[in-house]
Amino acid sequence: MHPSRRTVLGAGALVGPALLTSTGAVGSGAAVAAAPDSRRTAATRPFPTSPFTLGIASGDPAPDGFVIWTRLALEPLADDGLGGVPSRRYDVVWELAEAESFRRVARRGTVSAGPETAHAVHVELTGLRPGREYWFRFRVGRHVSGVGRGVTAPAPGSLPASMTVAFASCSNYPAGFFTAYRHLADERPDLVLHLGDYQYEGPANAANLRPHAGPETTTLAGYRQRLAQYKTDPDLQAAHAAAPWLVVWDDHEVDNNYAAEVSEKPAEQRQFVDRRVAAYRAYYENMPLRRTSVPSGPGMQLFRRISWGQLATFHMLDTRQYRSDQANGDGFKPRGGGYDDPARSLPGHFQEDWLLDGFADSTARWDVLGQQVFFGGRQNAEAAVPTVSMDAWDGYPASRQRITQGWVDAGVRNPVVLTGDVHAHWGSDLFLDYADPTTPVGSEFVTTSITSGGDGYDDPDGAHPWADDNPNLTFWTNLRGYVSTTITPQAMTVDYRCLPRVTTPGAEVFTRRSYVVEDRVRGMQQTADAPLVTTAARRALPSDEQVVADTIREETGY
Ligand code: FE
Ligand code: CA
């Protein structure tokens, strides 16, 4: 039984057993379910304006429920990170319905929001029916939040006919409008995977299109303020309201290119563990995560598995918190510095073992790795001495080999890797040996950024200059967007969704290229191709040298 701060059963039909849990506080102690809360509340002091300025969210679906989230703020950009909410407790009522109209409330409960979480609340709903939609909202006094759509996972033994999954990464607020999130919301997928760089840590810069508030984020107040600023974005709010999310972070939620407890810049190392603690705490507060992810000491449990019946298992990895430090500097560097030492690991050895156990135990039709950094091999053979990304799996080849061999040895039926981080759409088939790319053992789909890198450009052939020397690379375009997939027992279809521009609002979305992976068939097969050729949106493709320079710049810094 989970600890419960306060549980109130509402009127209306109860769907399943009345097991409701909620928590409002990091490290809150266990209490008996439905125990009265003796603390004073602020029910008699209503908010003058709506405190639901940061939207709502749901996440981490199970067959019997999901997490719902909100955070109260009146002035989201307040410097102290507390959103202009008085430093006291508020009762937040949540409501669940079986229809979007909300004509009948199926369940209702109350959770207490306090300053210790910057007035964020997480409610873990249980006892719901598998494989269906629900609708939720919050109330404080007379103020009502927007309505969110939650989805429960199908029953464990079932084989659903289909599911839709969209995945995204790298939403840098100053770089452009979050139009891609709006289009993703309009698709109403069953599940959204956010693969990291949900926020960026850089300081306010008045020259930016949409400047950050505050200095570079290093403190709890700073991270809370930054996340609040992002959460005010209406397109991001729409994407959260549209579907449950599975979130994993990359580096910018804390500090560019950090590794475990090693900061990017040596000069910032002394305070780095404190900085990471602050960042992880604010991340938990602002994401629809389960209680298992409440930060503890300097760490936070983020890697986890979510199953969609027998159709798909999502292995969500954390490739930042436990990684060995980059071997030879953080950027594109010649192979060296002991980069291939088998003692080194990108996910950390215990997370590798957890993943290998997951492959061995899997009975899913599709095993999907949701993770941060480029998995397949890519070398820049145009440098005098070929270079690879020391921050990606190329910088940790022994770790990559153990995982790839692991799914091959376990006989995983359909392994697929989903990736973010690099601010461009890529496709790569996966091999045991990238020097001998003849027989693929899986496929990797890499999503571009929501905004990072700005408007970008499109190559009519969808081919990066590196594809000549890296035959595993199937596709590349430097436009912004996200990836939409449909998974059935027979196939996974993948649409690379693109926007012609993000520096002006309201751009349309189009499918740049499509692939299918068929059940038990290794390798992706192209099914559609639509380059950006309209004269209004087309931009000149730079020289190969400039494309490579842009690629390395985007992957090394912001
Ligand atoms: Fe990024
Ligand atoms: Ca990154």
Side-chain angles (χ1 to χ4, degrees):
M1 180 64 77
H2 298 294
S4 176
R5 172 179 298 269
R6 205 152 180 229
T7 300
V8 180
L9 296 183
L14 282 173
V15 281
L19 289 172
L20 309 176
T21 58
S22 60
T23 183
V26 174
S28 65
V32 179
D37 187 341
S38 59
R39 280 171 298 214
R40 290 188 55 225
T41 69
T44 54
R45 281 204 198 168
F47 287 115
T49 57
S50 174
F52 298 110
T53 54
L54 307 183
I56 48 146
S58 74
D60 281 20
D64 68 340
F66 44 82
V67 181
I68 58 175
W69 170 95
T70 194
R71 176 182 160 197
L72 310 180
L74 297 170
E75 300 160 30
L77 303 187
D79 287 334
D80 65 2
L82 295 174
V85 176
S87 186
R88 52 190 303 165
R89 309 202 68 81
Y90 293 88
D91 279 352
V92 180
V93 175
W94 58 266
E95 295 178 331
L96 187 76
E98 298 187 12
E100 192 170 5
S101 66
F102 249 101
R103 207 161 299 145
R104 199 169 70 145
V105 173
R107 292 203 192 178
R108 182 181 286 119
T110 303
V111 61
S112 178
E116 74 283 356
T117 61
H119 296 95
V121 297
H122 299 74
V123 181
E124 290 189 34
L125 301 174
T126 61
L128 307 185
R129 288 202 294 263
R132 61 155 294 164
E133 292 176 322
Y134 289 91
W135 306 90
F136 65 93
R137 66 188 178 193
F138 296 90
R139 292 176 178 277
V140 174
R142 65 186 171 85
H143 301 289
V144 186
S145 75
V147 172
R149 171 177 169 265
V151 179
T152 51
S158 67
L159 182 62
S162 170
M163 77 175 297
T164 53
V165 183
F167 63 100
S169 76
C170 296
S171 36
N172 190 8
Y173 192 91
F177 294 92
F178 288 171
T179 319
Y181 277 140
R182 174 71 62 173
H183 290 298
L184 185 158
D186 290 344
E187 294 182 18
R188 258 195 196 183
D190 294 319
L191 202 54
V192 174
L193 274 46
H194 199 289
L195 301 178
D197 293 355
Y198 182 96
Q199 68 133 49
Y200 282 70
E201 76 275 29
N205 179 349
N208 290 147
L209 181 64
R210 301 203 298 167
H212 276 146
E216 177 165 337
T217 50
T218 58
T219 64
L220 181 59
Y223 286 107
R224 283 170 163 172
Q225 178 195 36
R226 182 61 50 84
L227 281 157
Q229 181 179 22
Y230 278 58
K231 295 274 185 185
T232 60
D233 185 278
D235 296 327
L236 176 58
Q237 288 190 11
H240 275 299
W245 286 36
L246 296 182
V247 297
V248 283
W249 53 39
D250 190 29
D251 51 343
H252 291 292
E253 286 87 349
V254 182
D255 180 26
N256 185 41
N257 285 346
Y258 82 97
E261 297 187 348
V262 181
S263 65
E264 180 190 23
K265 301 184 186 84
E268 295 174 351
Q269 182 58 42
R270 205 169 57 81
Q271 306 86 0
F272 184 70
V273 174
D274 289 344
R275 179 179 184 181
R276 202 185 84 164
V277 165
Y280 283 9
R281 180 170 168 182
Y283 184 82
Y284 169 77
E285 288 172 354
N286 284 280
M287 293 294 163
L289 287 164
R290 290 185 181 270
R291 192 175 300 102
T292 46
S293 291
V294 170
S296 170
M300 179 174 148
Q301 170 75 42
L302 195 62
F303 66 86
R304 61 205 188 280
R305 253 188 284 281
I306 302 266
S307 286
W308 215 256
Q310 292 291 302
L311 181 60
T313 295
F314 298 88
H315 309 263
M316 303 300 291
L317 304 191
D318 173 356
T319 62
R320 280 294 154 194
Q321 188 173 181
Y322 317 105
R323 69 159 68 196
S324 308
D325 194 20
Q326 291 89 347
N328 200 20
D330 294 355
F332 275 79
K333 296 288 166 54
R335 296 179 173 93
Y339 81 116
D340 56 354
D341 182 346
R344 300 178 68 248
S345 176
L346 184 53
H349 289 283
F350 69 96
Q351 189 178 184
E352 276 187 26
D353 290 344
W354 168 88
L355 183 59
L356 296 175
D357 289 347
F359 292 150
D361 294 345
S362 178
T363 57
R365 198 59 73 102
W366 299 86
D367 278 275
V368 179
L369 273 63
Q371 60 95 42
Q372 293 75 33
V373 291
F374 212 105
F375 195 87
R378 279 182 317 161
Q379 63 169 340
N380 176 19
E382 286 158 43
V385 178
T387 59
V388 296
S389 172
M390 283 292 151
D391 190 61
W393 292 87
D394 270 331
Y396 302 77
S399 205
R400 176 170 64 195
Q401 196 70 17
R402 286 189 292 268
I403 289 168
T404 311
Q405 191 70 56
W407 79 57
V408 170
D409 291 348
V412 167
R413 183 161 171 159
N414 294 303
V416 178
V417 176
L418 306 182
T419 303
D421 180 53
V422 289
H423 307 175
H425 281 319
W426 294 79
S428 169
D429 281 327
L430 302 176
F431 296 87
L432 281 168
D433 179 3
Y434 289 91
D436 177 24
T438 49
T439 309
V441 297
S443 293
E444 176 180 25
F445 298 98
V446 182
T447 183
T448 189
S449 56
I450 294 290
T451 55
S452 305
D455 289 339
Y457 42 79
D458 183 40
D459 172 19
D461 299 324
H464 192 278
W466 290 342
D468 292 343
D469 299 306
N470 298 266
N472 56 297
L473 299 176
T474 54
F475 176 58
W476 162 81
T477 185
N478 182 18
L479 291 172
R480 311 286 75 82
Y482 57 97
V483 177
S484 299
T485 73
T486 301
I487 302 174
T488 74
Q490 292 77 37
M492 177 169 177
T493 59
V494 176
D495 292 331
Y496 284 100
R497 306 281 276 159
C498 286
L499 280 63
R501 75 199 75 82
V502 295
T503 53
T504 53
E508 294 301 310
V509 68
F510 70 104
T511 296
R512 171 65 184 82
R513 187 174 279 187
S514 300
Y515 287 91
V516 64
V517 180
E518 294 176 349
D519 179 35
R520 293 190 193 273
V521 178
R522 294 291 182 263
M524 62 182 80
Q525 303 166 52
Q526 185 181 321
T527 55
D529 188 50
L532 183 61
V533 291
T534 59
T535 50
R538 188 182 194 174
R539 284 173 293 280
L541 185 67
S543 66
D544 281 4
E545 293 69 31
Q546 187 61 49
V547 167
V548 168
D550 289 349
T551 300
I552 291 174
R553 185 196 64 244
E554 285 302 314
E555 296 194 24
T556 305
Y558 280 40

